[in-house]
Amino acid sequence: MKAVRIHAFGGPEVLQLEDVARPVPAPDEILIQVQASGVNPVDWVVREGGNDALRAFLTLPLTLGWDAAGTVAEVGSDVTAFQKGDVVYGVPNFTGNGSYAEYCAAKASQFARKPGSLSFVEAAAVPLAGLTAWAALFEQGQLRAGQRVLIQGASGGVGSFAVQFAKAKGAYVIGVASASNLGYLRELGADEVIDYRSQPLADAVRDVDVVLEASPVRDNAERLKAVSLLKEGGIFVSVNLDYPFNEEVLAALAQKHATGALSANQPRQDWLTEIAQLIDAGQVKVLVSKVFSLAQVAEAHRESATWHVRGKLVLDVANAIEPA
Ligand SMILES: NC(=O)c1ccc[n+]([C@@H]2O[C@H](COP(=O)([O-])OP(=O)(O)OC[C@H]3O[C@@H](n4cnc5c(N)ncnc54)[C@H](OP(=O)(O)O)[C@@H]3O)[C@@H](O)[C@H]2O)c1
C-alpha cells in the first residue's frame, strides 16, 4: 500500500511517499481502508521532531496523520462494535503509524460511525480538532448553557468546532480571529466577534466564565490579559500542552479563584458519536478549505504551518488530485 512516511525529522523534504506492507490489526484494533486523512499542526510538529510534550514518544520510521475517515477492512479478534464494510471516522493510534496511508490499523475504541451527511473528505476533518474542542470546552472548561465563553483562534480547526459546539450547547460565544475571518465566525454562530489585531480584548470583553486558548499563540503575557477577563471562579483552558502556565499566570488565576487547565484531545468513541449526531442534525458544519492528494502532502504541511488556515485541510487519500 502507499503511505507517506518519515525516516528522519526535518522539513517537508523528509516526507516520502512509499510502498509499505499493509498493517495487521491487533485484537482490539480495526483495519481502516483510509479514504481521507485530516491534516493537523501536530503532523508537521512531529515531522520536525516534536515539541517538549511529544519528543520522548516519537520513534522512526513513522507514518504521519492522526485523523481518518474510511471503511473497515478487517476487525481484530476482540472487536465487537464494528464489522467489515462499516464507514467510520476517528483518530489513529498516537504516536503510532497514522492515516497518511491507504490502510491504517487503530484501536476500535477511537472510532465511531461516520456522520452520514458528510463526505469522507469532510469527515476526516473532524475527529482530532473536534475532540480537542470537546474535551477543552466540556471536560476541562465545564461549559454549561447560558455561560459566556471566549474562544481564541476561533477560525482555525479546533476553534471552528469549539464555536459551534459551544453554541449547540446553549453558551454565549465570543470568537477571536483576524479581521478577514470575522464574517466566518458569525456564520458559525458566534454572538460577538473580535479582531485580535485591532481590538484590545480588555476593551471589548469582560465577565467570561470560560476562556479557551485555541490559537497557536504561546505567550504568558497574552494569557494574563485573557485571565483578567474571567469572572471570579472562571476557567482558563489552553490546548497548548507544550506551553505550561508560568507563576504570574498561576498567581493571577489564584487571585480570581479561577482554574487553569491544559487540555489534551481524547480519542473517545462516545464523543465522536455525539459530534456525529450534532453534524447530522445540521447544528455543526465542517469547512474544508483545501484538499490535497497524498503526493501533495508537503504543500499541505506548508499551508498548515502558516497558522492561518480557515477550518481544515484534508488529504484525499483514495483519489489522486492533480495539482491546480
Ligand atoms: N492539545 C491538543 O490535543 C491539541 C490538538 C489540536 C491542536 N492543538 C493546538 O491548538 C492550537 C490550534 O490548532 P488548530 O489545529 O486549530 O490550528 P489552525 O487550524 O492553524 O488554527 C489556528 C488559528 O489561530 C489563529 N491565529 C494565528 N495566529 C494568531 C495570532 N497571532 N493571534 C491570535 N490568533 C492567531 C488563526 O486565525 P486567523 O487566521 O484569523 O489569524 C487560525 O484560525 C495549536 O496551538 C495546536 O498546537 C492542541
Side-chain angles (χ1 to χ4, degrees), residues 100-155:
Y100 288 7
E102 290 177 305
Y103 290 86
C104 170
K107 289 206 184 326
S109 60
Q110 298 174 178
F111 279 74
R113 297 277 187 291
K114 177 179 87 62
S117 57
L118 296 185
S119 67
F120 283 110
V121 164
E122 290 166 327
V126 178
L128 193 130
L131 290 164
T132 303
W134 196 275
L137 288 175
F138 305 125
E139 184 152 284
Q140 301 293 347
Q142 296 167 38
L143 186 69
R144 299 185 304 276
Q147 289 192 322
R148 289 160 58 80
V149 58
L150 176 84
I151 299 173
Q152 300 177 302
S155 56

Side-chain angles (χ1 to χ4, degrees), residues 33 67 110 137 213 218 284 299:
Q33 182 174 13
D67 242 349
Q110 298 174 178
L137 288 175
E213 180 188 81
R218 284 149 168 88
V284 171
E299 202 186 317

Side-chain angles (χ1 to χ4, degrees), residues 32 34 36-38 66-70 88-92 99 104 111 120 123-124 127:
I32 301 122
V34 179
S37 169
W66 291 285
D67 242 349
V88 294
Y89 79 142
V91 182
S99 49
C104 170
F111 279 74
F120 283 110

